[in-house]
Amino acid sequence: MGTAVGGERSVPRYVQIADEIVQQIRAGVIKPGDMVPSESELVDRYGVSGGTIRKAMVEVRASGLVETRHGKGSIVKDRPPVRHRSSDRFRRSLRQGGKAAYLAESAQSGATAKVSVLYIGPMEAPEDAAERLGVPAGTQVLARRRLYFRNGTPVETATSYLPWDVVKDIPELFAENPGGGGIYARLEDHGHEFEEFVETLQGRPASKAESSELALSPGSPVIHLIREARTTEGRVVEVCDTLMAADQFVFEYRIPAVD
C-alpha cells in the first residue's frame, strides 16, 4: 500500500471503488432494484484485478444498500427510508387516541404500515422472558408473535409474552386485532396502568432464518430489543422480544439532565 504526500496513508483502491459505487447508489445513478455491475464489468471499468473488485463489493455490501442473490449478483435494495423510534412513542395520549405505537410512528413518517399476526396462544415462557416476568421458566404465558411491514417490506418481528393470570380475563388479547391502542390500551382498560417501559438493545448479525424472515442479505446487521412494560404496582405485565432490520431504524431518546 502506498503513502500520500506528507507520509499519510493513501486510500486503498478497493475502498475508492466501493465509495464510488455507494455514492452512485445514493445518488440514484444505480436505482433500487437495479443490479450492481458484474465483477467482470467492474474489472474492465476500473482496470483492476478481480480480487480488488471482490474486496470492494464486501465494503459495498457492508453499507446495507445492496443484497446478494445466489447466482445473480448484487442488487440495490428497494427498502423504505429510515424511520425514527423515540422515547415518546409509548405516550398514553397515543393509546387513548386509539393508536398503537408502530402504526402511530409509521403514520407520522408518511409510511404505509401493516402487521401480520403469526401466532397467538399459550406457550411455555422462555428462560429470559420468564425471569423478566418474575415466573419460573416454562410457566404458561400468552404469546403474541407479529411480523411488521413498512411500505410492503418486512422490517421487524416481535413476540410479546404476557402472564396468564393477567390476560385470561381479557379476551381482546387473544384476538388478532386487540382494538384501538393495541395491547397496552387493553391492559390499561383492565386496571394495569403503566409506569414505565424499559428497553435493552443489542446489535448483532442476523442468523440465516432471521435474514430470510426480514428479507435481508445473510449476516446483515439487526437490532435485538427486549422491552419490559412495568405497571405502577411494579409488575412486569409484558416482555416484548423484538428483532429489527438495523438499516430501518434510528433511535432517539430524551434523557433528563436533572432529577
Side-chain angles (χ1 to χ4, degrees):
M1 185 182 300
T3 57
V5 176
E8 295 181 0
R9 288 183 178 276
S10 60
V11 178
R13 184 61 176 142
Y14 74 89
V15 174
Q16 295 175 344
I17 293 170
D19 286 346
E20 184 172 322
I21 294 171
V22 167
Q23 289 306 315
Q24 289 176 352
I25 294 171
R26 287 178 172 158
V29 176
I30 308 176
K31 297 178 173 58
D34 287 352
M35 300 298 298
V36 175
S38 67
E39 180 180 317
S40 60
E41 290 174 310
L42 293 174
V43 164
D44 291 341
R45 176 182 301 178
Y46 292 104
V48 296
S49 69
T52 298
I53 294 302
R54 287 190 288 275
K55 290 172 70 175
M57 287 307 300
V58 169
E59 299 295 318
V60 173
R61 286 191 290 273
S63 72
L65 297 173
V66 305
E67 59 182 336
T68 302
R69 297 183 178 177
H70 183 68
K72 293 185 177 181
S74 297
I75 187 171
V76 177
K77 291 182 181 179
D78 185 14
R79 300 183 72 82
V82 171
R83 66 185 180 86
H84 289 75
R85 293 173 67 101
S86 66
S87 53
D88 64 354
R89 64 193 303 264
F90 293 117
R91 285 180 301 165
R92 183 168 287 109
S93 60
L94 291 176
R95 294 194 295 279
Q96 292 174 341
K99 297 179 180 179
Y102 178 77
L103 298 179
E105 195 172 50
S106 297
Q108 289 170 0
S109 65
T112 300
K114 176 187 173 183
V115 182
S116 178
V117 176
L118 305 179
Y119 175 79
I120 301 174
M123 179 181 290
E124 293 185 358
E127 184 174 350
D128 182 65
E131 182 178 351
R132 293 171 184 272
L133 290 170
V135 300
T139 298
Q140 179 175 285
V141 295
L142 174 65
R144 294 179 57 92
R145 178 166 173 76
R146 295 90 67 198
L147 178 61
Y148 294 86
F149 295 82
R150 187 175 191 275
N151 293 344
T153 299
V155 296
E156 174 182 341
T157 64
T159 302
S160 291
Y161 302 99
L162 302 104
W164 196 261
D165 66 295
V166 169
V167 304
K168 61 184 178 62
D169 296 321
I170 310 177
E172 296 94 334
L173 295 183
F174 292 81
E176 185 169 316
N177 182 357
I183 64 174
Y184 292 158
R186 300 292 78 74
L187 286 164
E188 288 202 312
D189 287 346
H190 286 77
H192 303 283
E193 183 179 351
F194 292 109
E195 175 71 23
E196 64 178 357
F197 299 91
V198 179
E199 295 187 333
T200 303
L201 296 84
Q202 179 183 18
R204 60 172 175 79
S207 69
K208 185 175 181 180
E210 292 166 347
S211 297
S212 177
E213 191 166 39
L214 291 175
L216 299 170
S217 299
S220 292
V222 290
I223 298 168
H224 185 197
L225 181 151
I226 298 178
R227 181 172 60 255
E228 299 177 12
R230 297 180 180 176
T231 69
T232 54
E233 295 179 348
R235 184 176 184 183
V236 176
V237 294
E238 184 230 22
V239 171
C240 188
D241 192 324
T242 304
L243 194 75
M244 292 165 282
D247 65 339
Q248 291 298 293
F249 298 90
V250 170
F251 292 81
E252 179 181 291
Y253 295 104
R254 294 185 178 89
I255 302 174
V258 295
D259 293 337

